[in-house]
mmCIF file of all heavy atoms in Angstrom:
data_model
loop_
_atom_site.group_PDB
_atom_site.id
_atom_site.type_symbol
_atom_site.label_atom_id
_atom_site.label_comp_id
_atom_site.label_asym_id
_atom_site.label_seq_id
_atom_site.Cartn_x
_atom_site.Cartn_y
_atom_site.Cartn_z
ATOM 1 N N SER A 106 81.786 107.005 103.815
ATOM 2 C CA SER A 106 80.660 106.294 103.210
ATOM 3 C C SER A 106 81.169 105.307 102.173
ATOM 4 O O SER A 106 82.243 105.482 101.588
ATOM 5 C CB SER A 106 79.698 107.281 102.549
ATOM 6 O OG SER A 106 80.259 107.809 101.360
ATOM 7 N N SER A 107 80.397 104.271 101.929
ATOM 8 C CA SER A 107 80.791 103.267 100.939
ATOM 9 C C SER A 107 80.909 103.877 99.547
ATOM 10 O O SER A 107 81.768 103.490 98.755
ATOM 11 C CB SER A 107 79.779 102.111 100.933
ATOM 12 O OG SER A 107 78.476 102.581 100.632
ATOM 13 N N VAL A 108 80.056 104.860 99.260
ATOM 14 C CA VAL A 108 80.107 105.524 97.949
ATOM 15 C C VAL A 108 81.425 106.278 97.788
ATOM 16 O O VAL A 108 82.089 106.184 96.752
ATOM 17 C CB VAL A 108 78.913 106.486 97.785
ATOM 18 C CG1 VAL A 108 79.054 107.318 96.507
ATOM 19 C CG2 VAL A 108 77.600 105.699 97.764
ATOM 20 N N ASP A 109 81.818 107.039 98.824
ATOM 21 C CA ASP A 109 83.060 107.808 98.753
ATOM 22 C C ASP A 109 84.273 106.895 98.729
ATOM 23 O O ASP A 109 85.244 107.152 98.013
ATOM 24 C CB ASP A 109 83.154 108.773 99.938
ATOM 25 C CG ASP A 109 82.178 109.928 99.825
ATOM 26 O OD1 ASP A 109 81.605 110.112 98.727
ATOM 27 O OD2 ASP A 109 81.981 110.638 100.823
ATOM 28 N N TYR A 110 84.241 105.824 99.533
ATOM 29 C CA TYR A 110 85.362 104.892 99.551
ATOM 30 C C TYR A 110 85.552 104.265 98.173
ATOM 31 O O TYR A 110 86.662 104.202 97.650
ATOM 32 C CB TYR A 110 85.135 103.788 100.586
ATOM 33 C CG TYR A 110 86.267 102.785 100.627
ATOM 34 C CD1 TYR A 110 87.382 102.988 101.437
ATOM 35 C CD2 TYR A 110 86.234 101.642 99.833
ATOM 36 C CE1 TYR A 110 88.436 102.093 101.450
ATOM 37 C CE2 TYR A 110 87.285 100.741 99.843
ATOM 38 C CZ TYR A 110 88.374 100.965 100.657
ATOM 39 O OH TYR A 110 89.421 100.066 100.645
ATOM 40 N N PHE A 111 84.457 103.805 97.574
ATOM 41 C CA PHE A 111 84.549 103.162 96.266
ATOM 42 C C PHE A 111 85.051 104.145 95.207
ATOM 43 O O PHE A 111 85.903 103.811 94.389
ATOM 44 C CB PHE A 111 83.192 102.594 95.856
ATOM 45 C CG PHE A 111 83.200 101.978 94.485
ATOM 46 C CD1 PHE A 111 83.839 100.764 94.255
ATOM 47 C CD2 PHE A 111 82.593 102.616 93.417
ATOM 48 C CE1 PHE A 111 83.857 100.206 92.988
ATOM 49 C CE2 PHE A 111 82.607 102.065 92.151
ATOM 50 C CZ PHE A 111 83.238 100.853 91.933
ATOM 51 N N ASP A 112 84.521 105.368 95.227
ATOM 52 C CA ASP A 112 84.958 106.376 94.250
ATOM 53 C C ASP A 112 86.451 106.652 94.395
ATOM 54 O O ASP A 112 87.176 106.727 93.400
ATOM 55 C CB ASP A 112 84.171 107.668 94.440
ATOM 56 C CG ASP A 112 84.583 108.750 93.450
ATOM 57 O OD1 ASP A 112 84.216 108.637 92.266
ATOM 58 O OD2 ASP A 112 85.289 109.692 93.854
ATOM 59 N N SER A 113 86.917 106.794 95.636
ATOM 60 C CA SER A 113 88.328 107.065 95.894
ATOM 61 C C SER A 113 89.198 105.904 95.436
ATOM 62 O O SER A 113 90.229 106.093 94.767
ATOM 63 C CB SER A 113 88.548 107.320 97.389
ATOM 64 O OG SER A 113 89.904 107.561 97.674
ATOM 65 N N ALA A 114 88.792 104.674 95.774
ATOM 66 C CA ALA A 114 89.580 103.501 95.407
ATOM 67 C C ALA A 114 89.586 103.280 93.902
ATOM 68 O O ALA A 114 90.614 102.898 93.319
ATOM 69 C CB ALA A 114 89.029 102.268 96.119
ATOM 70 N N LEU A 115 88.450 103.526 93.257
ATOM 71 C CA LEU A 115 88.364 103.317 91.813
ATOM 72 C C LEU A 115 89.221 104.331 91.066
ATOM 73 O O LEU A 115 89.868 103.990 90.055
ATOM 74 C CB LEU A 115 86.907 103.409 91.358
ATOM 75 C CG LEU A 115 86.633 103.031 89.899
ATOM 76 C CD1 LEU A 115 87.017 101.573 89.650
ATOM 77 C CD2 LEU A 115 85.160 103.252 89.553
ATOM 78 N N ARG A 116 89.233 105.571 91.527
ATOM 79 C CA ARG A 116 90.085 106.588 90.900
ATOM 80 C C ARG A 116 91.554 106.157 90.936
ATOM 81 O O ARG A 116 92.319 106.423 90.010
ATOM 82 C CB ARG A 116 89.950 107.932 91.625
ATOM 83 C CG ARG A 116 88.661 108.680 91.373
ATOM 84 C CD ARG A 116 88.561 109.870 92.302
ATOM 85 N NE ARG A 116 87.334 110.607 92.166
ATOM 86 C CZ ARG A 116 87.203 111.735 91.459
ATOM 87 N NH1 ARG A 116 88.245 112.228 90.824
ATOM 88 N NH2 ARG A 116 86.044 112.351 91.401
ATOM 89 N N ASP A 117 91.929 105.475 92.016
ATOM 90 C CA ASP A 117 93.315 105.069 92.209
ATOM 91 C C ASP A 117 93.756 104.017 91.204
ATOM 92 O O ASP A 117 94.960 103.856 90.976
ATOM 93 C CB ASP A 117 93.495 104.532 93.636
ATOM 94 C CG ASP A 117 94.780 105.014 94.277
ATOM 95 O OD1 ASP A 117 95.413 105.937 93.723
ATOM 96 O OD2 ASP A 117 95.158 104.470 95.323
#
Side-chain angles (χ1 to χ4, degrees):
S106 73
S107 59
V108 172
D109 288 347
Y110 179 88
F111 177 72
D112 180 74
S113 179
L115 188 62
R116 286 171 182 261
D117 222 12

